[in-house]
Amino acid sequence: MAQLDVENLTLVFGGLAALSGVSIAVEKGELVSIIGPNGAGKTSLLNCISGFYHPTEGVIRFEGHDLTRASPHTATRYGIARAFQNIELFSGLTVLENLLLARHTHLRYGLFAAAVFYGRALSEEVEARAYVEEIIDFMELEPYRKRLVGSLPYGVRKRVEVARALTLGPKLLLLDEPMAGMTLEEKEDMVRFILDIRAERGTTIVLIEHDLGVVMDISDRVYVLDFGQVIAEGTPEVVAKNPRVLEAYVGGTA
Amino acid sequence: MRNPWMQTGNYRTSYRQDTTIFATYSEQLSLIVLLLSLLFLPMFLSRPQMFVVDLILVYALAVVGLNITTGYAGLISIGHAAFVGVGAYTAALLAPALPFWLTVPLGGLAAAIAGGIVGIPSLRIKHLYLAIATLAFQLIFEWGVGHSTLLQQGGAIAMPRVVFAGYKVGYKNHYYFWYYVTLVVLIVLAFAFRNLLRTKYGRALVAVRDNDRAADAMGMHPGLTKIFAFALGAFYAGVAGGLYAYLSRAVVIEDYMLNVSIELLAMSIVGGLGSMVGSFLGPAFLVLLDLNMEDFANWLKALGMSLPGVDIASAMRPLTFGLVIVLFLVFEPRGLANWWRLVRNYFKNWPFKY
Ligand SMILES: Nc1ncnc2c1ncn2[C@@H]1O[C@H](COP(=O)(O)OP(=O)(O)OP(=O)(O)O)[C@@H](O)[C@H]1O
Ligand SMILES: [Mg+2]
């Protein structure tokens, strides 16, 4: 069985189906992309997997657990992390604090230890900080460590968003347009980060991206969504030749 | 070579060091100086002055609690005085049977439970609706006390004088004794919260204030975190209530009504929401303002500027409180704590200008 198994998912908003009968399966360690025109339902699908929306019909299974009705914190605790399309950082906090927050579930000390800040609280906090510093180093965020997130440029905030999801220590990383609105150089950096995450940590990645060049370059498999339905699926080469995809892309958006 | 006394920034070299609160020597020194002067303060004050200082400390403790709920976790509470009241009444009921060092923490515990219950709606509702829930609790509390014969229907319940280390605290020492008790409790609880702030518990409070969707995605339960914020803030309020009961030697409902909740909010706003220093500056400022208002009213009266049948002091009080809140919200929303920060930074970087 695949690590992530989404079966026959339907999500209806007041009569309008954002998703209808979507099934996807992602194997451990795979990099799978989801593409499709605006409003196709890509973000909605991630929202279901990460617990922000609950589907009207269908089943979501992750490593054998049924997460169909799970809340976001439950999904997170099972090892699913999410970088949001519309940045959802704690803008009043520093980069460091944002990332430390992502270690929340890994910290086990009790309230009393925390109040005296001694023993387990101290050692676990130092450990969490070391972990966070590793990610900061990895995502090349050193210059921004103590800057308030709200004061950072867009491209950097996007990078913090991904860094924070990574700090959760996930088994499955959901990236919703992590390169949207970035300069070419920032995009190249992000592609490098994504490939490194997979290579160094073996994290399964589901990527939503509009830049077809990038998608075809780095994905193992691609799902194409249009009007809430999967219209094509397969390796980049196969998908690129699919007439329905060409129609949805060329006919639909151009 | 670096002179640690003249450090203008931080040059910490380990993650462990980076978690310390008072890092530079001058910060540590000013803390010690502050603690020593608080220790010897009573030697220079008269009995009535002592009472004022006691009052400020008790309010400061309650405001630290309000700051936890409203300042850090961003949950507006219009019922904080009721939590103080729960602590006070609990202490009053238990005082005949138990020593104060048990009744006061138990008062805090009772208030924390009440806070947790009041926080339950935060599982479903947010923002203003939640504030209304705290207001409802305030009104239920007042109504409940007013209808309870056990609580004298809100009339005065006398607090016994306490015995400490075999020594009965009498009239002469009353304010001095409670000064030290409150000071110790305040320091311990303030440090405890300062510690919490650099752990997952404190970060979670700020996280649900800033963005509770993202907090959810970080694996924390936003609703439970808010309940925790209410319970923790109420615990501080309850302890303050217990201390206040002993300090004022009686528990009456007037001390825990809606207007007191508003005053506590005013104190935290004037001090600076979400600031530890502000939790002390706010109460000090407003308690002293309140005192001077009486003098000012008497002075107006002496000038013959009083209206028949109107008590100027009590008429001016809500007026001035309202005015002060509005002025701070408009001109210094970060409160007195911001002035404190500016002064401190000036001295920290002195003699450099920036
Ligand atoms: N909370 C919601 N309430 C009502 N409709 C919604 C909601 N969320 C999404 N939709 C609708 O569902 C459809 C799919 O939206 P979704 O955000 O999933 O698209 P997308 O593929 O991510 O598009 P984009 O590429 O623009 O990000 C849209 O028609 C959108 O209006
Ligand atoms: Mg989207």
Side-chain angles (χ1 to χ4, degrees):
Chain A
M1 195 169 55
Q3 187 182 31
L4 174 69
D5 229 323
V6 174
E7 273 169 38
N8 213 8
L9 219 59
T10 298
L11 176 69
V12 179
F13 289 114
L16 184 122
L19 297 172
S20 39
V22 172
S23 297
I24 69 170
V26 182
E27 297 292 337
K28 202 165 162 41
E30 257 192 319
L31 200 171
V32 169
S33 290
I34 297 172
I35 60 171
N38 292 109
K42 305 181 295 295
T43 300
S44 300
L45 178 59
L46 287 204
N47 273 329
C48 288
I49 298 171
S50 55
F52 282 94
Y53 292 165
H54 297 311
T56 326
E57 264 175 63
V59 183
I60 299 165
R61 260 191 298 270
F62 180 68
E63 299 196 328
H65 305 283
D66 184 349
L67 295 188
T68 314
R69 311 248 117 224
S71 51
H73 52 269
T74 312
T76 302
R77 281 165 190 265
Y78 277 111
I80 299 177
R82 159 99 182 267
F84 293 86
Q85 179 175 4
N86 312 309
I87 303 171
E88 296 264 10
L89 292 167
F90 305 102
S91 51
L93 303 182
T94 63
V95 172
L96 191 61
E97 288 164 330
N98 267 274
L99 300 192
L100 277 173
L101 268 161
R103 296 308 291 167
H104 188 83
T105 55
H106 300 265
L107 298 168
R108 291 297 153 103
Y109 52 78
L111 186 59
F112 187 74
V116 293
F117 203 70
Y118 204 72
R120 276 187 78 175
L122 182 57
S123 60
E124 285 186 32
E125 278 297 324
V126 170
E127 220 174 281
R129 176 67 190 272
Y131 191 95
V132 164
E133 287 296 335
E134 225 177 90
I135 304 279
I136 287 179
D137 194 44
F138 178 71
M139 297 289 292
E140 294 164 20
L141 286 166
E142 293 94 342
Y144 312 106
R145 196 185 273 119
K146 299 222 166 159
R147 295 268 301 274
L148 289 184
V149 163
S151 70
L152 296 174
Y154 179 79
V156 179
R157 268 183 302 166
K158 276 294 226 195
R159 188 141 38 109
V160 176
E161 178 80 42
V162 174
R164 192 183 60 179
L166 192 60
T167 310
L168 287 166
K171 296 175 188 160
L172 168 65
L173 187 58
L174 309 173
L175 302 174
D176 197 347
E177 305 196 17
M179 298 166 233
M182 283 188 160
T183 64
L184 190 62
E185 196 182 333
E186 288 173 328
K187 252 187 199 180
E188 281 169 357
D189 283 339
M190 188 56 82
V191 169
R192 185 164 50 83
F193 292 138
I194 292 173
L195 290 175
D196 285 350
I197 290 170
R198 191 163 75 130
E200 288 177 23
R201 294 162 193 265
T203 313
T204 313
I205 298 176
V206 172
L207 170 73
I208 295 180
E209 183 48 52
H210 278 296
D211 188 324
L212 286 185
V214 170
V215 168
M216 297 303 167
D217 244 16
I218 66 174
S219 317
D220 296 324
R221 277 186 312 121
V222 180
Y223 283 92
V224 188
L225 231 57
D226 196 15
F227 292 112
Q229 286 177 314
V230 178
I231 57 165
E233 185 257 306
T235 58
E237 300 78 39
V238 170
V239 165
K241 288 190 201 109
N242 188 312
R244 289 185 68 187
V245 177
L246 293 174
E247 190 192 335
Y249 264 84
V250 183
T253 45
Chain B
M1 255 223 1
R2 217 162 71 210
N3 177 350
W5 286 95
M6 303 228 343
Q7 233 159 265
T8 57
N10 76 57
Y11 301 92
R12 302 169 183 184
T13 47
S14 77
Y15 302 146
R16 196 199 144 132
Q17 255 183 328
D18 212 5
T19 64
T20 51
I21 302 171
F22 298 96
T24 61
Y25 283 6
S26 37
E27 274 168 344
Q28 287 164 3
L29 182 73
S30 34
L31 180 72
I32 290 169
V33 169
L34 176 72
L35 291 182
L36 280 181
S37 41
L38 284 172
L39 190 63
F40 292 111
L41 183 70
M43 294 173 63
F44 307 99
L45 297 181
S46 66
R47 217 182 103 87
Q49 286 172 324
M50 221 41 233
F51 175 63
V52 174
V53 174
D54 289 2
L55 214 54
I56 292 175
L57 292 187
V58 172
Y59 273 123
L61 186 55
V63 170
V64 170
L66 183 56
N67 245 324
I68 292 171
T69 311
T70 301
Y72 288 94
L75 308 159
I76 297 172
S77 172
I78 322 180
H80 203 63
F83 295 131
V84 180
V86 169
Y89 277 106
T90 306
L93 290 178
L94 297 177
L98 296 173
F100 76 91
W101 48 267
L102 279 178
T103 58
V104 170
L106 285 173
L109 220 55
I113 292 168
I117 293 170
V118 173
I120 288 175
S122 53
L123 292 173
R124 303 228 67 141
I125 57 174
K126 285 184 187 175
H127 311 302
L128 210 52
Y129 301 102
L130 205 51
I132 301 295
T134 65
L135 177 62
F137 174 67
Q138 175 76 50
L139 300 179
I140 291 168
F141 169 78
E142 289 177 21
W143 184 89
V145 172
H147 285 79
S148 153
T149 41
L150 178 67
L151 303 178
Q152 306 291 339
Q153 295 175 323
I157 303 175
M159 293 296 288
R161 290 218 181 266
V162 301
V163 177
F164 183 69
Y167 160 82
K168 194 162 182 193
V169 179
Y171 168 85
K172 264 179 72 183
N173 300 319
H174 185 73
Y175 293 140
Y176 297 93
F177 177 76
W178 288 107
Y179 171 79
Y180 286 112
V181 172
T182 312
L183 187 64
V184 168
V185 171
L186 182 60
I187 289 172
V188 168
L189 287 185
F191 266 100
F193 182 60
R194 202 73 188 68
N195 281 336
L196 283 189
L197 276 180
R198 39 187 188 151
T199 67
K200 65 171 185 171
Y201 297 98
R203 285 194 297 265
L205 297 182
V206 184
V208 295
R209 176 191 72 193
D210 240 35
N211 184 340
D212 63 357
R213 260 170 73 82
D216 209 341
M218 294 302 102
M220 56 191 82
H221 192 304
L224 289 184
T225 307
K226 288 174 190 174
I227 289 177
F228 169 69
F230 272 112
L232 189 64
F235 173 78
Y236 280 63
V239 172
L243 291 170
Y244 186 74
Y246 282 103
L247 178 67
S248 55
R249 304 221 46 228
V251 179
V252 274
I253 187 68
E254 277 78 14
D255 290 340
Y256 312 102
M257 302 228 296
L258 182 59
N259 59 314
V260 182
S261 281
I262 307 286
E263 277 175 34
L264 291 171
L265 264 179
M267 287 176 185
S268 56
I269 289 170
V270 167
L273 276 176
S275 147
M276 204 63 189
V277 181
S279 308
F280 302 93
L281 297 180
F285 181 83
L286 283 184
V287 167
L288 293 176
L289 180 76
D290 195 40
L291 278 179
N292 288 306
M293 201 114 67
E294 239 148 85
D295 292 344
F296 183 63
N298 287 337
W299 182 72
L300 283 181
K301 223 180 273 173
L303 284 177
M305 285 175 52
S306 63
L307 299 169
V310 177
D311 176 12
I312 298 193
S314 53
M316 266 173 37
R317 196 167 284 157
L319 217 63
T320 322
F321 264 71
L323 189 67
V324 167
I325 298 180
V326 170
L327 286 178
F328 266 90
L329 282 179
V330 173
F331 294 107
E332 187 53 277
R334 281 174 296 180
L336 292 172
N338 195 39
W339 299 2
W340 165 259
R341 197 177 56 83
L342 294 176
V343 170
R344 204 188 48 179
N345 281 352
Y346 177 81
F347 282 107
K348 198 168 167 188
N349 291 335
W350 187 86
F352 311 113
K353 202 137 182 207
Y354 292 104

